């Protein structure tokens, strides 16, 4: 199952904010057995974003669109998704009810002095794609949404890390994306440098097409992690055994 993540934000492109969402999502998707094809970072440009979404829909199984769901003018994600799917954006009564409940809760707990006024900014945060399913945001105000277009399941999520993680684990994982455990991963740690075994890794990737082998050096420490991933546990272990054996046969560094 192929997946693309689109992350939106001028603040990421200018280096003012570090994008931690894609790393976390990549780890979760890998655990679930999904193949992340690409991560794309794009600015707060409605036309560019809608064009990118059109390019992705229909060619991947899952499309995650993250960020740009707030109340300010640069939050254009939902309208861009609407443009791409040729759908209207409408205010969700479900999302408004959640915001009012959360506002009351925060006031009762003493975090805010008065309840939130339902104004244009709040309505913008409660705006969703017409016909989509609202994903409740238990960690914040802006909801996520999901819908299927052709063969692509689309998820639109807020960019605040805690909110994104909450919606993913509470609303998406095990509901829309179930774990696929037909994947085995193992690794070895060598006192080695990549250059001495790179040719062997290339050969093993050809000899064992069902196993993906990667090497990850720690520069300055002569430590090399070799990680193998595949559906056949015996093949994964065979590949690592051959690499370990070859490394052991080389002169000590």
């Amino acid at each position: 199952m192929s997946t693309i993540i689109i992350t939106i934000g001028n603040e990421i492109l200018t280096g003012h904010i570090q994008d931690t969402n894609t790393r976390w999502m990549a780890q979760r998707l890998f655990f679930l057995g999904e193949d992340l094809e690409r991560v794309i970072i794009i600015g707060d440009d409605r036309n560019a974003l809608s064009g990118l979404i059109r390019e992705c829909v229909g060619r991947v199984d899952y499309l995650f669109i993250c960020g740009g769901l707030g109340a300010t003018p640069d939050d254009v994600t939902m309208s861009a998704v609407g443009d791409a799917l040729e759908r209207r954006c409408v205010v969700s009564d479900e999302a408004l009810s959640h915001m009012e409940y959360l506002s009351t809760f925060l006031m009762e707990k003493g975090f805010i002095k008065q309840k939130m006024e339902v104004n244009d900014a709040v309505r913008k945060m409660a705006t969703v794609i017409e016909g989509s399913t609202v994903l409740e945001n238990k960690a914040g105000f802006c909801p996520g949404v999901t819908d299927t277009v052709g063969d692509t399941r689309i998820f639109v999520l807020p960019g605040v890390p805690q909110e994104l993680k909450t919606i993913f684990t509470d609303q998406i994982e095990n509901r829309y994306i179930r774990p696929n455990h037909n994947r085995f991963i193992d690794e070895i740690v060598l006192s080695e440098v990549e250059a001495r075994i790179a040719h062997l890794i290339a050969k093993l990737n050809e000899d064992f097409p069902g196993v993906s082998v990667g090497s990850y050096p720690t520069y300055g420490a002569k430590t090399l992690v070799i990680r193998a991933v595949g559906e056949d546990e015996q093949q994964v272990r065979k590949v690592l055994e051959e690499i370990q054996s070859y490394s052991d046969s080389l002169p000590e560094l």
Side-chain angles (χ1 to χ4, degrees):
M1 305 289 280
S2 58
T3 302
I4 286 178
I5 298 174
I6 300 175
T7 296
I8 299 103
N10 290 339
E11 67 276 18
I12 298 174
L13 292 175
T14 57
H16 289 91
I17 297 293
Q18 182 178 6
D19 173 27
T20 60
N21 287 334
T22 52
R23 180 175 183 269
W24 182 87
M25 290 179 66
Q27 291 175 331
R28 296 308 305 163
L29 290 166
F30 181 82
F31 169 79
L32 291 167
E34 303 303 326
D35 294 319
L36 180 56
E37 175 185 319
R38 190 184 307 175
V39 173
I40 304 168
I41 300 176
I42 187 171
D44 301 298
D45 185 317
R46 178 172 173 173
N47 292 331
L49 178 56
S50 63
L52 177 59
I53 293 168
R54 289 191 193 99
E55 293 175 11
C56 295
V57 169
R59 60 176 300 269
V60 293
D61 300 292
Y62 299 115
L63 175 62
F64 286 88
I65 304 166
C66 309
L69 298 185
T72 56
D74 62 333
D75 292 314
V76 299
T77 297
M78 201 65 77
S79 56
V81 176
D83 293 344
L85 304 185
E86 298 182 352
R87 299 224 203 129
R88 293 192 309 145
C89 290
V90 297
V91 175
S92 165
D93 291 336
E94 181 181 349
L96 274 180
S97 294
H98 167 73
M99 291 180 185
E100 291 176 333
Y101 165 79
L102 183 58
S103 175
T104 300
F105 173 82
L106 292 175
M107 184 182 69
E108 290 175 349
K109 294 296 182 180
F111 293 107
I112 58 177
K113 293 183 179 180
Q114 60 184 18
K115 288 182 63 175
M116 174 186 66
E117 177 188 354
V118 180
N119 53 24
D120 289 342
V122 171
R123 291 188 185 92
K124 186 175 188 293
M125 289 192 292
T127 297
V128 302
I129 307 302
E130 187 175 34
S132 63
T133 299
V134 174
L135 301 174
E136 184 181 4
N137 180 1
K138 295 181 179 178
F141 284 94
C142 290
V145 301
T146 184
D147 207 346
T148 300
V149 180
D151 295 326
T152 301
R153 165 66 68 174
I154 299 173
F155 299 99
V156 185
L157 303 176
V160 178
Q162 187 56 48
E163 296 181 21
L164 178 144
K165 293 175 183 178
T166 298
I167 295 175
F168 190 99
T169 55
D170 183 60
Q171 303 280 315
I172 297 174
E173 195 169 318
N174 294 315
R175 180 179 177 186
Y176 293 102
I177 304 179
R178 298 182 182 278
N180 171 18
H181 292 297
N182 295 326
R183 174 179 284 174
F184 183 77
I185 180 171
D186 200 3
E187 63 183 38
I188 55 176
V189 180
L190 307 175
S191 294
E192 192 58 82
V193 294
E194 281 185 308
R196 298 210 302 175
I197 61 171
H199 67 286
L200 176 60
I201 293 176
K203 181 178 183 302
L204 290 170
N205 275 325
E206 292 181 0
D207 294 345
F208 296 86
V211 179
S212 175
V213 186
S215 61
Y216 310 94
T218 301
Y219 293 102
K222 289 196 305 183
T223 299
L224 184 65
V225 176
I226 306 295
R227 186 173 298 122
V229 182
E231 294 184 0
D232 189 316
E233 180 178 349
Q234 290 185 339
Q235 286 194 346
V236 169
R237 294 197 183 281
K238 174 65 173 174
V239 165
L240 294 179
E241 287 170 3
E242 290 201 23
I243 295 173
Q244 181 72 68
S245 177
Y246 180 75
S247 176
D248 291 343
S249 71
L250 295 175
E252 186 175 351
L253 288 171

